[in-house]
Amino acid sequence: MSSPHLSPSPLVLSSSLSYRTVLPLTACIPSRLPPFGSHFHGPVFEEQPSSVVYPEGLSKGTVTLNCQARASPAATYRWHVNGTNVPVGDLRYTLVAGNLVISGPQYGSDGGSYQCLAMNRCGTVLSRVANLKFGYLHDFSGEGQSPQTVYEGAGAFLACQAPAHYPALSYRWFVNDFPSFVKPDGGRWFVSQVTGNLYLAKAEPNDTASYFCFTTIDMDISTKSTFSKANQLTVQPDGTGVKSAPAIKVRFPAETYALAGHTTQLECFAYGNPIPKLRWRKVDGLLPSKAGASAEGPILTLPEMTFHDEGVYECEAYNSEGRDKHQGRINVQAQPEWLQVMSDSEVEISSELHWTCVAAGKPRPSIRWLRNGQPLSTQVINLALEDSGMYQCVAENKHDTIYSNAELRVQVQAPDFRSNPVRRLVPAARGGQVMLECRPRAAPKPTLFWSRGTELLTNSSRVTVTPDGILWIHNISRADEGKYTCFAENYLGKANSTGHLSVRDATKITLAPSNADINQEENVTLQCHASHDPTMDLTFTWSSYNGIDFQSRVLDIIEFHLNSNYLQYWDLLIVSGQLSQAGTYSCTAQTVVDSASASAKLVVRGPPGPPGGLVVKNVAETSAELRWSRGYDNHSPIGKYVIMGCSPLSSGWRTMRTEPSNIEGNAESARVVGLLPWMDYEFQVIASNILGSGEPSMSSHTVRTQQAAPTVAPSGLGGGGGDRNELIITWTPMAREYQNGDGFGYILAFRKRNTPTWVVERVSNVESSRYVYSNQSLSPYCPFEVKIKAYNRKGEGPFSQIALVHSAEEEPTVAPSRINATALTAFEMQVSWDPVQHLSIRYWRQHEREAAADRVRTAGLETTARVAGLRPSTRYHVTVLAYNSAGTGPASPKSTVTTRRPPPNRPPGNVFWKTDGSWVTVRWDHVKALGNESAVLGYKVLYKHEGQSALKVLDKGKTSVTLPLPKDNGYVVLEIRSWGEGGDGAAHETIVSRDSGERD
């Protein structure tokens, strides 16, 4: 179980056990116990018994309750049942190692609470309690329930009336024959796992049947099931189809107690037509995400309960006819859990012991103590050797009992310095002080005193002997050198230990660091020189009260050794000083016997620190007042402030307009202006001085400016089209920054052109961009004047400019006339007609279906169109249709045209050229058309000079052409092709240079 996190809380308890004793030794255990870590120790559980549910009436089985403990010497075991000894050795009770085996457990004689005792000569501990209970499930009563009749569409339930049982049952229902179990069927059916009843949200005629309640119990080694007599349900047809709002029939308790770490379920189910849907919510917070899909079902499942899940939960059933709600509270309780436990302790017979246990739980756990398995009824005040043993702290509430175990050993021995003698050599600095410790092992505590030679030391102006045996010598001189002996004595014996005090020269700071004052990014050096006793090593350390880690900073420490005085220099160089490095720096020179320190203060001047305490007040529609407190000026006066702001519409922080526009350094308030109404803003304040701008303040809390009526009209007003008798008006939805308030919508005004009365309509959806006005009296393509404005809770904005929008057109009713189709080439034709707006040309080859015709569209008042991509020598049928936004009109009479024969597919051949000065003459052979090709009427020559992008075209009836040559020895790119009625033939491409040549 996770910690309930109740501290501070009345659920957190503590209990302590204290001992203060000085007793003579009387013991039934050895007079000297071995120390911890030795071979002997008390029992420590490795396996403890667990509760068991055993089937009632199963006579030949066995139950095993486990108990194993690690101990030295090995543990022996006993068992208690309901507080009395289990008669191990009886034929039915067997001890296998520490485990208790019960043969043929019997209800009435063997049920109860079992506890294992593990013991050795160091002490006894009790295990946790394990319950042996017997599971049973009786048969249903022989009496069936009365048949039920309901009308179609109504709700119903069938009661299970489960028989006597232990433990809890699970429930299912089957229909007519096993195992045809009832299924949810879209939420119509529900089986309560609390009562076992079967609920039907909306009955249907085919639900008429016999229903049986099927119950099951799960035990540790088996399961058992049984089912009821038939429950007859008859559904009468009802042709009225009456609908009904939800009515919740399965309600979870008003108070539910859940256990932390466990799963809790709440049930909710409703009658209704249509079948109600269910949804759950937490009234006083967010519904835990772990509820998952169950948040929309009849059973809300909350696994791994915590105290955060505590609160009021609501089930809502809803359909098209209405809704119903039910609420109840979940109170989370917790099993005891240790927050602090005691640990094994080894104490001297004359010392003091304080043990503490702290447990958390709900309800509040009680705490008691055990020693060697027996209750401690009163506080132990005379601790003796026989108080050694196993101790247990027990915390319990109604949910569980937990144990914390520890071993106590009371030690007794004569003084002994072998494990902790006085230091053999103790160096000390002249003029300083020294501490000599005397810590022998002894129980009870020994009497301690010191001597120097034969002189017994007592407290004086320079010498202090503490009750716990520590010797202090102050203002040390050379005369204090010598041997010092500590004597220890208790009633078991005596011992002593000696050390030698050696006096050395003191360490001194000869050049201390000086205070420094720098600007940010400047360097500074702090010096530190020291002298010390030449027989010892000297180490330097730098420290700072501002928390700088000298291992990770950019620092340069330089060491020098000079002359016979053995001086050392350690200079601290701080590179590119920062504001965070300001503070007090201390240099310490240290030997093993003493140290000397000196400090200096470093001031770093820089841009100001962030202002504090930023608050926003007096928020209006387009302005807000900001107040703040001065931050650190970092040793340079603040010159001015700048206010930054951001909103959901901005990509980041930007400088805001303020009043006054320039905020002086002594100001602590200003007004931000030019804000958008009904917009969320956050603000920051930045201070600056002659050294730069500082870090911004913490962001203010988010504020929303006051609402205001819209100030601009929607844009993009237009429309048209649609179905007959419709006027469609469109516009661009207003962006968030122009809405200025909630309750936002649009007001449309429109009228027929040249009429006085406006029709006004409201559109309440902010995202709307279209309005359709339908009226059977609307004339087709009738002009309307249209204007629009926005509104919100605070008022209305201005109207837009008037736009002209036409109502929907009727599809054309007249076909185009005077259709004429003429073949232009083998691949193109031209179609002409009398003027009509928006035409569609259909054309298809002979022997093809008109439905498969290709189309070409034109716009406006054009009277001709070219149709390309045709096949040569092919007969085509052509019709022309008028169209508009309402559809397409009737087709014109059909016209027929045959495309021309194709041009030759061979390019001109035998191309050659000859140059004459700046001109070139190109010649080629005539292309002769074949019988199925159109006659050649001439040639097209396309050419361009080197480096040019444009082509020039020459039409020639001859088979030669003279062209100018480039002046810079460039070349000419040529493309020569034949042409005729069928169009252009295949091209011959060549490159012509100043040298005569030939290209095939």
Side-chain angles (χ1 to χ4, degrees):
M1 181 186 74
S2 61
S3 172
H5 306 292
L6 296 178
S7 182
S9 164
L11 300 179
V12 179
L13 309 178
S14 66
S15 178
S16 303
L17 187 61
S18 300
Y19 305 98
R20 294 175 182 82
T21 67
V22 179
L23 289 181
L25 289 177
T26 58
C28 58
I29 56 177
S31 60
R32 293 173 185 264
L33 282 176
F36 285 114
S38 64
H39 180 66
F40 300 104
H41 64 84
V44 178
F45 282 115
E46 293 182 324
E47 251 187 283
Q48 297 190 60
S50 298
S51 296
V52 176
V53 178
Y54 187 80
E56 181 181 321
L58 183 63
S59 59
K60 295 185 178 180
T62 62
V63 168
T64 300
L65 301 175
N66 295 327
C67 183
Q68 296 294 323
R70 171 171 40 87
S72 179
T76 58
Y77 302 90
R78 292 206 319 266
W79 283 84
H80 288 168
V81 56
N82 299 327
T84 63
N85 286 327
V86 174
V88 175
D90 185 299
L91 291 177
R92 294 196 309 110
Y93 301 100
T94 307
L95 202 60
V96 179
N99 301 335
L100 177 64
V101 180
I102 306 173
S103 301
Q106 298 176 8
Y107 177 76
S109 59
D110 293 320
S113 299
Y114 287 79
Q115 198 165 19
C116 172
L117 291 77
M119 62 201 78
N120 68 1
R121 73 179 193 177
C122 295
T124 300
V125 287
L126 292 178
S127 74
R128 68 184 175 213
V129 173
N131 295 311
L132 173 58
K133 296 185 178 181
F134 288 83
Y136 61 91
L137 174 59
H138 295 172
D139 291 331
F140 279 86
S141 67
E143 298 179 1
Q145 296 185 36
S146 301
Q148 284 200 52
T149 300
V150 296
Y151 284 99
E152 178 184 0
F157 86 95
L158 301 175
C160 181
Q161 297 182 346
H165 60 274
Y166 181 84
L169 293 173
S170 63
Y171 300 90
R172 289 190 291 174
W173 285 73
F174 64 87
V175 186
N176 294 332
D177 297 302
F178 182 87
S180 178
F181 287 104
V182 172
K183 296 180 180 179
D185 188 20
R188 284 201 315 126
W189 294 98
F190 174 64
V191 178
S192 170
Q193 296 303 309
V194 176
T195 63
N197 296 340
L198 175 65
Y199 293 86
L200 177 58
K202 171 195 167 189
E204 297 177 356
N206 58 6
D207 294 327
T208 298
S210 295
Y211 294 83
F212 300 82
C213 181
F214 186 83
T215 61
T216 302
I217 61 167
D218 287 311
M219 294 170 284
D220 290 298
I221 61 175
S222 68
T223 62
K224 184 177 180 181
S225 301
T226 185
F227 59 88
S228 69
K229 299 293 183 180
N231 293 262
Q232 184 63 40
L233 176 65
T234 301
V235 180
Q236 296 283 2
D238 181 359
T240 62
V242 175
K243 296 184 178 181
S244 60
I248 295 177
K249 296 300 181 181
V250 178
R251 298 171 178 263
F252 54 95
E255 295 282 340
T256 298
Y257 290 90
L259 194 57
H262 292 247
T263 297
T264 293
Q265 292 185 325
L266 303 180
E267 293 187 347
C268 179
F269 191 73
Y271 297 169
N273 183 14
I275 301 169
K277 294 183 179 180
L278 298 170
R279 59 184 168 213
W280 295 81
R281 74 182 186 98
K282 191 167 185 273
V283 176
D284 47 2
L286 294 177
L287 188 69
S289 59
K290 59 189 172 186
S294 73
E296 295 183 355
I299 300 180
L300 178 69
T301 301
L302 300 172
E304 298 290 331
M305 292 292 291
T306 70
F307 287 96
H308 295 295
D309 300 327
E310 197 169 59
V312 177
Y313 288 77
E314 179 183 88
C315 166
E316 181 182 31
Y318 61 98
N319 64 14
S320 59
E321 303 305 302
R323 60 193 65 236
D324 192 11
K325 297 179 180 180
H326 173 68
Q327 292 183 354
R329 168 173 288 277
I330 294 181
N331 297 294
V332 179
Q333 298 196 337
Q335 298 167 318
E337 178 183 14
W338 291 120
L339 301 182
Q340 181 179 344
V341 296
M342 55 186 181
S343 58
D344 293 339
S345 297
E346 179 181 0
V347 299
E348 299 168 351
I349 195 170
S350 298
S351 65
E352 179 182 288
L353 171 67
H354 183 81
W355 261 336
T356 301
C357 287
V358 181
K362 186 179 179 182
R364 163 188 183 140
S366 62
I367 293 185
R368 54 191 171 89
W369 291 83
L370 303 175
R371 180 177 65 194
N372 292 327
Q374 298 298 319
L376 283 175
S377 56
T378 59
Q379 185 178 21
V380 178
I381 58 174
N382 291 312
L383 181 62
L385 192 61
E386 61 266 26
D387 291 315
S388 297
M390 301 301 297
Y391 287 76
Q392 291 179 284
C393 182
V394 185
E396 57 188 327
N397 66 11
K398 67 180 182 179
H399 300 298
D400 200 6
T401 302
I402 56 176
Y403 294 77
S404 170
N405 304 342
E407 183 174 355
L408 171 64
R409 295 186 183 182
V410 180
Q411 294 288 346
V412 58
Q413 71 176 78
D416 187 345
F417 281 99
R418 287 176 296 179
S419 61
N420 193 21
V422 173
R423 287 174 61 193
R424 184 165 296 179
L425 177 63
V426 182
R430 187 167 52 187
Q433 63 182 16
V434 69
M435 179 186 72
L436 285 80
E437 289 186 297
C438 180
R439 297 190 182 280
R441 187 178 178 87
K445 287 185 180 295
T447 302
L448 302 173
F449 56 91
W450 285 87
S451 70
R452 180 184 178 200
T454 59
E455 176 189 1
L456 182 66
L457 297 178
T458 58
N459 289 339
S460 66
S461 60
R462 293 199 313 112
V463 176
T464 302
V465 181
T466 67
D468 56 356
I470 295 177
L471 172 64
W472 286 93
I473 304 175
H474 306 276
N475 194 19
I476 294 171
S477 66
R478 290 287 183 184
D480 293 320
E481 283 191 330
K483 292 184 178 180
Y484 290 79
T485 302
C486 176
F487 294 89
E489 178 180 356
N490 65 13
Y491 64 87
L492 295 173
K494 301 178 181 179
N496 62 76
S497 180
T498 300
H500 181 80
L501 176 64
S502 175
V503 179
R504 312 292 175 87
D505 288 339
T507 302
K508 296 180 179 179
I509 298 293
T510 58
L511 178 60
S514 300
N515 294 337
D517 187 328
I518 63 171
N519 288 337
Q520 189 173 352
E521 301 295 337
E522 291 181 350
N523 301 343
V524 65
T525 299
L526 302 179
Q527 295 180 306
C528 186
H529 301 184
S531 64
H532 69 293
D533 191 294
T535 64
M536 294 179 295
D537 292 332
L538 180 68
T539 60
F540 277 88
T541 57
W542 282 92
S543 61
S544 171
Y545 297 114
N546 57 9
I548 293 177
D549 179 3
F550 284 83
Q551 300 302 316
S552 63
R553 305 298 299 177
V554 182
L555 302 170
D556 186 13
I557 299 176
I558 308 166
E559 180 181 351
F560 298 90
H561 304 283
L562 299 177
N563 63 45
S564 60
N565 290 331
Y566 205 74
L567 295 176
Q568 286 194 335
Y569 296 7
W570 274 61
D571 293 347
L572 176 65
L573 172 62
I574 300 178
V575 180
S576 297
Q578 301 298 313
L579 294 173
S580 60
Q581 294 170 333
T584 301
Y585 289 80
S586 294
C587 168
T588 301
Q590 187 170 17
T591 66
V592 295
V593 299
D594 71 339
S595 64
S597 298
S599 300
K601 184 176 182 180
L602 174 63
V603 174
V604 181
R605 302 181 185 273
L614 177 61
V615 295
V616 184
K617 294 186 174 182
N618 301 325
V619 180
E621 296 174 354
T622 59
S623 64
E625 183 182 348
L626 269 61
R627 296 182 182 179
W628 61 89
S629 58
R630 294 170 58 86
Y632 294 113
D633 63 8
N634 290 324
H635 311 290
S636 179
I638 296 173
K640 67 175 182 177
Y641 290 97
V642 173
I643 295 178
M644 309 295 291
C646 72
S647 71
L649 302 177
S650 59
S651 58
W653 294 93
R654 63 183 182 88
T655 304
M656 307 301 292
R657 291 170 47 207
T658 60
E659 290 180 355
S661 56
N662 295 315
I663 308 173
E664 297 182 354
N666 59 355
E668 293 188 353
S669 66
R671 190 158 195 85
V672 182
V673 296
L675 305 179
L676 295 174
W678 198 56
M679 185 60 63
D680 292 337
Y681 287 95
E682 291 181 61
F683 299 101
Q684 292 178 342
V685 181
I686 298 175
S688 61
N689 58 21
I690 60 173
L691 297 176
S693 296
E695 293 292 321
S697 67
M698 294 286 290
S699 299
S700 70
H701 63 278
T702 301
V703 297
R704 175 167 289 185
T705 51
Q706 297 293 318
Q707 300 186 40
T711 56
V712 297
S715 61
L717 184 61
D723 294 334
R724 181 180 297 181
N725 306 125
E726 285 184 347
L727 172 66
I728 296 179
I729 304 171
T730 60
W731 63 91
T732 302
M734 294 276 278
R736 172 65 177 81
E737 60 262 40
Y738 302 119
Q739 294 172 20
N740 288 5
D742 59 0
F744 186 87
Y746 304 95
I747 297 176
L748 286 166
F750 52 92
R751 66 183 179 185
K752 287 183 182 181
R753 190 165 57 179
N754 300 325
T755 61
T757 305
W758 292 91
V759 177
V760 178
E761 297 287 349
R762 297 175 77 90
V763 180
S764 60
N765 188 350
V766 64
E767 297 179 357
S768 295
S769 61
R770 186 173 185 267
Y771 175 77
V772 179
Y773 173 70
S774 297
N775 191 318
Q776 294 298 319
S777 64
L778 278 182
S779 303
Y781 205 63
C782 178
F784 278 81
E785 293 178 327
V786 178
K787 58 184 179 180
I788 188 172
K789 64 181 176 181
Y791 73 90
N792 60 24
R793 293 190 190 279
K794 299 296 287 186
E796 300 175 0
F799 268 118
S800 67
Q801 294 291 323
I802 293 175
L804 190 65
V805 178
H806 287 81
S807 61
E809 299 177 288
E810 284 187 339
E811 62 270 15
T813 57
V814 179
S817 60
R818 299 173 62 87
I819 308 302
N820 183 43
T822 305
L824 298 178
T825 67
F827 311 103
E828 289 182 309
M829 64 177 167
Q830 180 168 291
V831 183
S832 63
W833 57 88
D834 282 350
V836 178
Q837 256 190 335
H838 304 304
L839 287 127
S840 174
I841 302 170
R842 289 196 303 206
Y843 62 95
W844 63 99
R845 287 180 290 170
Q846 193 171 16
H847 309 305
E848 287 183 339
R849 291 183 299 109
E850 183 177 356
D854 291 324
R855 291 174 180 256
V856 173
R857 287 203 169 199
T858 69
L861 295 174
E862 296 178 1
T863 59
T864 62
R866 293 169 70 96
V867 180
L870 306 179
R871 295 187 181 186
S873 306
T874 302
R875 187 176 182 85
Y876 283 90
H877 301 297
V878 181
T879 61
V880 181
L881 306 85
Y883 73 90
N884 59 22
S885 61
T888 303
S892 70
K894 181 170 61 177
S895 179
T896 302
V897 63
T898 301
T899 54
R900 300 183 183 275
R901 288 178 293 173
N905 64 358
R906 299 168 303 286
N910 195 23
V911 178
F912 65 95
W913 67 90
K914 186 176 182 181
T915 59
D916 181 8
S918 59
W919 294 85
V920 61
T921 300
V922 184
R923 301 181 184 275
W924 58 89
D925 288 346
H926 176 65
V927 178
K928 186 176 181 181
L930 301 179
N932 63 342
E933 296 175 338
S934 60
V936 175
L937 300 179
Y939 299 91
K940 289 183 179 179
V941 180
L942 287 76
Y943 74 97
K944 67 176 181 178
H945 287 183
E946 175 188 9
Q948 292 179 341
S949 58
L951 286 172
K952 296 183 179 180
V953 181
L954 295 175
D955 286 337
K956 293 289 183 180
K958 300 179 180 180
T959 57
S960 66
V961 64
T962 299
L963 302 170
L965 281 172
K967 296 179 181 180
D968 52 357
N969 293 324
Y971 55 85
V972 176
V973 180
L974 285 182
E975 187 179 284
I976 307 169
R977 68 177 76 233
S978 63
W979 65 272
E981 290 183 346
D984 294 342
H988 179 103
E989 295 183 6
T990 188
I991 296 177
V992 177
S993 64
R994 288 187 174 273
D995 298 327
S996 298
E998 181 177 342
R999 295 291 185 271
D1000 293 331

